Amino acid sequence: MPRQFRTGDQALVRQLNRSILLQRLWVASPLSRADLAASIGLNKTTVSHLVDELVTDGFLREIGRNTSASGRPGVLLELDPEAGWTIGCEIGVGSLSVILANLRARVTWRGRAAFARDEGFDAVLDRLTHLLRQAKRHAQRAGRRLFGAGVAVPGLVDISSGTLVFEPNTGWRDKPLRSILAQRMQIPVFVDNDGNAAALAERYFGVARGVDDFAYVVANVGLGAGLVVGGHIHYGVSGYAGEAGHTTIDPHGPPCRCGNHGCWERFASQRALIERVTGPDGRASSAILDGLTEHGSLPVSLSLVLQAAEAGDATVLEALRETGVYLGIGIANLVNLLNPSLVAFGGSLSQAHEYLLPAAREVVEHRAMAELRGASSIVVSAFRENACVMGGVALVLHDLLSRPRLVPAGRPTAPPYLDVHEVDAPLKVIP
């Protein structure tokens, strides 16, 4: 279907000008009205009107005067981090995580729930709705308006409709997440792939602030990537770019739940690591780890694997090294393909970054082209295992900065649901 473009009426122009102004303050506050006018190229009268509107509606706050400038000191402005709160959600494989945070990602409430992997979609969504309603009630009790909820989910996502197209680990197909949650919660809802969402979180709040070209590798039970090119998430022609976990490492490798064989995530994910330290019966394959699992009465988990590594378990340490090697092979491919300035590593498996990244960096040093690897830093995410749920917060913020919705400061919740693609392309954050 061809994209629907909105014509350039005065409301759109004003909306875009507000977006540019807020984006500038996001990265460079505090600024005076005169500084804003000079830096974004709008006349002072237009900027003054926009600022007055945004101050009245609680988006901006005045924080004193600029006494260092010559002439009459200008009133300094910044985006008010408490202008409203956002909900971040992660639907993982077997787990749900929900946080409530302000516009600078300060978390004020957190809720979690587990679910069995064979539970149906409806049951899982009911559990998620329960957590979302708790978060909404917390915001209402605090008297905070709510800008919306962002949902990060593994698999293929149609962001234009907020539909989960396919999630290999659960087998879910064509699930209209956004429409269901927006109807239940009566707030704006944004849904994206977990790698894309985590990449946005890193760009707004973490190690990739100000970085226009980077790759975000998110390793949980599965593995994926968010690709940022020229300051924008790269979605590809069908909207599903970033499925790096399903690139082939070994054509004769183990079967993947996507239907292929030898995918990268079968070698470099949390699931792959657990398989390396367990036998055919699922029990720990080393004495130390077996003891930590109470000789099979507890499942082998990532936390127990890390405890065994700290205790010097040779089998576990070798499994971590091998997982790091395969992580490095995939990262080397990303470096050769994309030439990013940064590769960030997050997700639950990044809790083991001290064991994984040395091996990964060594592989990249040998397998990536010298002219490309020299430009790329490989770092751990600022949010690690919380990267995807923080990505949900970033999805709401991204829309807010791209198209600020003026909600009276006294109202605790956002206005009725708005289509994220009313304006065709989100603006990039101004460096």
Side-chain angles (χ1 to χ4, degrees):
M1 174 185 289
R3 291 181 177 180
Q4 299 297 313
F5 292 91
R6 179 174 166 185
T7 58
D9 56 24
Q10 285 299 311
L12 176 59
V13 171
R14 190 171 186 80
Q15 188 179 79
L16 294 177
N17 285 341
R18 286 199 306 265
S19 298
I20 293 168
L21 187 151
L22 283 178
Q23 288 180 50
R24 187 60 186 162
L25 282 169
W26 173 263
V27 297
S29 63
L31 294 172
S32 68
R33 288 167 172 81
D35 293 333
L36 276 169
S39 62
I40 65 180
L42 294 174
N43 66 60
K44 293 182 180 179
T45 301
T46 298
V47 168
S48 183
H49 286 320
L50 291 172
V51 165
D52 290 345
E53 185 180 63
L54 290 166
V55 168
T56 298
D57 286 290
F59 279 85
L60 304 183
R61 64 183 180 183
E62 298 177 341
I63 57 169
R65 292 184 176 273
N66 182 6
T67 57
S68 63
S70 59
R72 182 180 178 183
V75 176
L76 294 174
L77 302 154
E78 70 174 5
L79 181 69
D80 187 350
E82 297 298 331
W85 288 352
T86 64
I87 300 175
C89 314
E90 177 189 4
I91 301 177
V93 180
S95 66
L96 301 171
S97 182
V98 175
I99 60 175
L100 190 62
N102 74 359
L103 294 183
R104 289 290 180 181
R106 182 179 67 85
V107 177
T108 61
W109 180 89
R110 185 185 300 273
R112 294 189 176 94
F115 63 89
R117 294 188 192 178
D118 59 353
E119 280 192 64
F121 172 79
D122 291 341
V124 173
L125 206 59
D126 286 344
R127 201 163 300 172
L128 177 61
T129 302
H130 177 69
L131 290 175
L132 287 170
R133 287 173 175 158
Q134 289 184 54
K136 186 175 180 179
R137 284 194 297 271
H138 187 82
Q140 289 172 329
R141 285 194 297 266
R144 301 294 185 186
R145 56 182 166 180
L146 199 54
F147 288 125
V151 183
V153 61
L156 304 180
V157 176
D158 179 354
I159 62 167
S160 65
S161 65
T163 299
L164 175 59
V165 176
F166 177 51
E167 203 293 292
N169 291 288
T170 58
W172 293 340
R173 286 186 181 274
D174 300 321
K175 301 301 183 182
L177 276 173
R178 192 177 75 183
S179 61
I180 295 172
L181 292 175
Q183 191 278 327
R184 291 182 179 184
M185 299 301 301
Q186 293 299 297
I187 59 174
V189 175
F190 308 91
V191 182
D192 207 336
N193 169 267
D194 56 1
N196 293 335
L200 274 182
E202 214 64 53
R203 179 158 168 76
Y204 279 118
F205 312 120
V207 297
R209 292 191 67 174
V211 180
D212 277 350
D213 295 274
F214 70 95
Y216 192 98
V217 177
V218 56
N220 294 306
V221 173
L223 186 148
L227 310 176
V228 175
V229 179
H232 300 275
I233 295 292
H234 177 68
Y235 284 101
V237 67
S238 300
Y240 307 137
E243 287 297 326
H246 297 291
T247 55
T248 301
I249 297 296
D250 178 1
H252 305 294
C256 181
R257 291 176 179 173
C258 74
N260 195 6
H261 283 75
C263 292
W264 185 23
E265 78 168 39
R266 293 296 285 113
F267 296 93
S269 63
Q270 179 179 318
R271 176 188 175 195
L273 172 62
I274 298 298
E275 288 178 348
R276 288 191 176 98
V277 297
T278 54
D281 58 357
R283 287 188 55 171
S285 57
S286 68
I288 293 176
L289 187 58
D290 187 50
L292 291 171
T293 64
E294 299 181 8
H295 308 293
S297 62
L298 296 175
V300 176
S301 65
L302 179 60
S303 64
L304 293 181
V305 169
L306 292 177
Q307 288 181 48
E310 291 170 4
D313 189 316
T315 298
V316 167
L317 289 171
E318 174 57 24
L320 284 162
R321 187 202 66 80
E322 185 177 352
T323 304
V325 166
Y326 280 108
L327 180 66
I329 289 172
I331 291 175
N333 290 339
L334 289 174
V335 168
N336 285 339
L337 181 66
L338 298 172
N339 189 206
S341 59
L342 181 76
V343 179
F345 172 52
S348 60
L349 190 60
S350 68
Q351 296 174 79
H353 69 95
E354 293 180 4
Y355 300 98
L356 300 172
L357 287 188
R361 291 187 181 109
E362 184 177 348
V363 170
V364 172
E365 185 68 22
H366 286 92
R367 291 183 176 271
M369 296 179 68
E371 294 81 1
L372 298 165
R373 69 174 182 261
S376 297
S377 300
I378 303 170
V379 300
V380 66
S381 160
F383 305 109
R384 302 184 190 179
E385 68 271 23
N386 294 313
C388 298
V389 70
M390 191 61 73
V393 171
L395 289 174
V396 182
L397 175 69
H398 186 64
D399 181 74
L400 186 65
L401 293 181
S402 298
R403 190 192 58 228
R405 302 180 294 276
L406 294 183
V407 186
R411 285 181 56 182
T413 59
Y417 175 71
L418 296 171
D419 185 355
V420 67
H421 289 290
E422 180 185 344
V423 178
D424 184 66
L427 300 175
K428 68 181 283 187
V429 175
I430 301 171

